[in-house]
Amino acid sequence: MSIPADLKYTKSHEWVKVEADGTVSVGITHHAQDLLGDMVFVENPAVGRKLNAGEECAVVESVKAASDVYAPLAGEVVAANDEVESSPEKINQDAYGAWMFKIRPASPADVNALLDAAAYEAHVASEAH
Amino acid sequence: MTDLKRTPLNATHRELGAKMVDFGGWDMPVNYGSQIEEHHTVRSGCGLFDVSHMLPLDLKGENVRAFLRRLVANNVDKLQVSGKALYSCMLNEDGGVIDDLIIYYMDETWFRLVVNAGTAEKDLAWMQKCNADWNMGLTLTPRRDLAMVAIQGPDAKRVLNEALPGADSLTETLKPFNAAAMGEMFIARTGYTGEDGFEVMVLAKSVPFFWKALMEAGGKPIGLGARDTLRLEAGMNLYGQDMDETTSPLESGLAWTVDLKTERDFVGRKALEASEVTQQLAGLVLLDKGVLRSHQKVFTKNGTGEITSGTFSPTLQQSIALARIPLGIAPGEEVDVEIRDKKLKAKVVKYPFVRNGKVLI
């Protein structure tokens, strides 16, 4: 599956989308869900929580394993998606559509430091050994 | 990096698009798409598992029954009809579990054992040592020339009959936990899913054709991922997780497999009889949202315990586990499980959780 060019990425396999209102949506990549397999549990951060970049802030669990989700950048959680919590399989069905939570970035320019699609693709390839 | 071992069906799995993983040194399919769908297929239809990584071992000789009387904790004298199978632990002198295995009685000079993949070499070395130390004079033959396919689910018998013309005369009469040899082919009505089904051994070179015929008859390939959720729902122990060399079978839910009624002297018996049983293996169902996993701590009114196997149950749509907890905690009681930084509520239940497609808790 191709990696959407309009999103940004982290080495820990989160994707980030800049919304029109200046907040960013965060989810896990198609590659990440493929590694984990069938999703059965999602725990999102509480709305209002202040996050540091790289901080563990959510958990996704598949039948197989639990995996931490890290904050791609610093900011405040402004929304959490109940839909993926009640139906975690949405992440398997459409990883880039199933956002988990939204952050209002402390510094909007931080987004520029994240990986673009080409850099993320190279990162995935390097991990495949 | 060492080369992974491959079963004779390795190329078949790759052609089917399986996700392959390193499973104890073996390159095995974890799923062919969705693990949850594969799980439901076995509960409602027919699934096919490549279990060729497990090792069949033929024990032959005049003293084979006497050898097994002493080697394993269950009593092979329960095996009097050719083809009958027995599940048993093989213990060390301390009463710890070296492995769990299935013993098929064929005749008084031939018993066939099937042992776990990860313990195969250790098991064989131990058996050879005992054979020599006890002057039994047996021949122990590892059968890596055989492949093994498990055909499991309510539709398993129809699929096997269709894939193997002439099998129906056998499958119609073969009772659960019995086997029959037909030349080099060996058909057992056994499994690790809690459903009806068969485990069939065939020559390794024939197994790709056999697998293809089973798929053409409607069997669906199932990976090791679903094998684990199926066996856990069925309340079946997994060696290395629910018991190992440091745990007693009496504290691992396996007392039913240890024969202490007869006077028979077997390896580990003295240690078991001298030990005090303080723990039990119990079933847990998570009442909160989340997933129980092995090594999570369990807090009970009688002290702490630990989850040995945990997963999300596709049949129950909630998380289930086996846990080693103190004695005196009864089904119906609530306990706390520590998951990350939280304590979540779980209920103790009598397992199996699911058998023959039906929820039992």
Side-chain angles (χ1 to χ4, degrees):
Chain A
M1 174 155 183
S2 67
I3 297 170
D6 57 333
L7 305 180
K8 292 285 197 173
Y9 302 89
T10 66
K11 286 190 174 177
S12 47
H13 306 287
E14 290 86 13
W15 59 259
V16 174
K17 183 182 180 193
V18 180
E19 304 289 353
D21 62 0
T23 63
V24 300
S25 303
V26 179
I28 66 165
T29 66
H30 179 79
H31 175 70
Q33 70 77 31
D34 188 51
L35 286 179
L36 285 163
D38 293 322
M39 291 295 172
V40 293
F41 178 69
V42 171
E43 188 178 292
N44 272 322
V47 171
R49 181 171 157 189
K50 299 246 187 344
L51 300 172
N52 297 316
E55 184 179 342
E56 283 174 14
C57 65
V59 175
V60 290
E61 294 207 39
S62 67
V63 186
K64 202 162 68 180
S67 183
D68 290 316
V69 177
Y70 301 90
L73 34 73
E76 182 183 337
V77 178
V78 294
N81 188 356
D82 298 341
E83 221 175 303
V84 297
E85 290 185 43
S86 57
S87 304
E89 68 276 8
K90 287 190 187 300
I91 293 175
N92 297 117
Q93 290 156 1
D94 179 14
Y96 296 115
W99 63 276
M100 292 174 60
F101 53 93
K102 291 184 182 183
I103 299 176
R104 182 170 302 282
S107 163
D110 287 352
V111 172
N112 300 327
L114 299 172
L115 305 177
D116 64 15
Y120 178 64
E121 194 169 3
H123 172 65
V124 170
S126 75
E127 281 193 337
H129 47 164
Chain B
M1 203 174 109
T2 55
D3 283 343
L4 296 179
K5 287 178 265 196
R6 296 177 169 202
T7 75
L9 285 166
N10 191 277
T12 304
H13 301 316
R14 291 176 176 279
E15 279 163 28
L16 290 166
K19 187 187 289 295
M20 305 297 285
V21 294
D22 177 351
F23 182 79
W26 289 81
D27 186 44
M28 298 297 287
V30 64
N31 65 59
Y32 301 80
S34 164
Q35 175 175 339
I36 289 179
E37 276 173 33
E38 289 171 17
H39 181 106
H40 292 315
T41 294
V42 175
R43 291 270 178 258
S44 61
C46 174
L48 311 176
F49 303 76
D50 177 13
V51 287
S52 306
H53 56 312
M54 297 180 76
L55 180 67
L57 267 171
D58 281 336
L59 272 58
K60 291 191 175 178
E62 296 302 318
N63 295 324
V64 60
R65 186 183 287 277
F67 176 76
L68 288 169
R69 272 193 198 116
R70 196 163 160 189
L71 185 79
V72 301
N74 209 338
N75 190 352
V76 289
D77 287 338
K78 291 174 185 169
L79 301 175
Q80 296 297 337
V81 178
S82 178
K84 186 84 182 110
L86 183 74
Y87 172 78
S88 182
C89 288
M90 178 166 73
L91 305 179
N92 58 28
E93 293 289 358
D94 301 327
V97 184
I98 296 174
D99 199 5
D100 66 334
L101 41 85
I102 291 186
I103 302 167
Y104 297 97
Y105 164 62
M106 304 316 291
D107 62 49
E108 284 306 316
T109 59
W110 175 27
F111 284 65
R112 174 168 286 180
L113 275 50
V114 177
V115 304
N116 282 303
T119 49
E121 284 169 35
K122 172 184 83 168
D123 293 354
L124 187 58
W126 172 249
M127 287 182 213
Q128 277 161 341
K129 182 186 181 311
C130 293
N131 184 34
D133 288 355
W134 306 339
N135 289 314
M136 290 289 182
L138 301 184
T139 313
L140 277 63
T141 312
R143 296 298 305 271
R144 279 287 172 221
D145 57 323
L146 296 177
M148 185 155 47
V149 176
I151 304 140
Q152 302 280 304
D155 205 23
K157 189 171 76 174
R158 186 200 61 76
V159 168
L160 181 57
N161 287 345
E162 206 173 306
L164 204 65
D168 53 345
S169 61
L170 181 61
T171 56
E172 292 301 330
T173 53
L174 198 61
K175 293 193 186 79
F177 243 67
N178 277 270
M182 300 196 307
E184 284 294 3
M185 186 175 267
F186 186 94
I187 301 180
R189 199 159 200 162
T190 49
Y192 197 45
T193 61
E195 298 297 324
D196 184 26
F198 301 85
E199 289 176 303
V200 179
M201 295 176 218
V202 298
L203 285 173
K205 62 184 178 193
S206 320
V207 75
F209 305 102
F210 180 50
W211 182 275
K212 190 161 172 269
L214 290 165
M215 282 190 68
E216 278 165 5
K220 300 278 193 300
I222 311 294
L224 293 181
R227 185 169 166 82
D228 191 53
T229 52
L230 288 158
R231 71 91 193 167
L232 190 46
E233 284 186 352
M236 293 172 172
N237 287 44
L238 174 60
Y239 188 79
Q241 276 188 212
D242 303 310
M243 73 292 197
D244 59 27
E245 292 196 13
T246 68
T247 55
S248 160
L250 307 180
E251 296 186 333
S252 307
L254 295 172
W256 64 279
T257 72
V258 179
D259 161 48
L260 296 171
K261 287 191 202 100
T262 59
E263 293 300 307
R264 185 179 53 98
D265 182 28
F266 60 86
V267 178
R269 177 168 189 155
K270 282 192 190 70
L272 286 187
E273 285 177 333
S275 70
E276 190 196 350
V277 174
T278 62
Q279 293 173 300
Q280 59 176 330
L281 205 67
L284 297 183
V285 174
L286 186 64
L287 301 174
D288 291 322
K289 287 189 80 175
V291 185
L292 301 170
R293 305 279 183 193
S294 55
H295 304 303
Q296 286 168 352
K297 265 193 185 164
V298 182
F299 298 89
T300 79
K301 65 175 199 258
N302 291 351
T304 61
E306 189 181 275
I307 288 178
T308 54
S309 288
T311 194
F312 178 82
S313 158
T315 305
L316 275 71
Q317 288 290 307
Q318 62 190 133
S319 184
I320 60 169
L322 295 178
R324 188 171 285 109
I325 59 172
L327 290 180
I329 309 296
E333 290 188 41
E334 283 188 16
V335 296
D336 287 329
V337 181
E338 192 172 80
I339 302 183
R340 290 177 283 276
D341 51 353
K342 294 195 193 93
K343 280 189 182 168
L344 302 184
K345 288 272 174 234
K347 190 171 79 173
V348 176
V349 297
K350 199 167 176 288
Y351 64 90
F353 304 89
V354 179
R355 272 289 161 99
N356 295 317
K358 289 189 186 64
V359 174
L360 301 182
I361 58 159

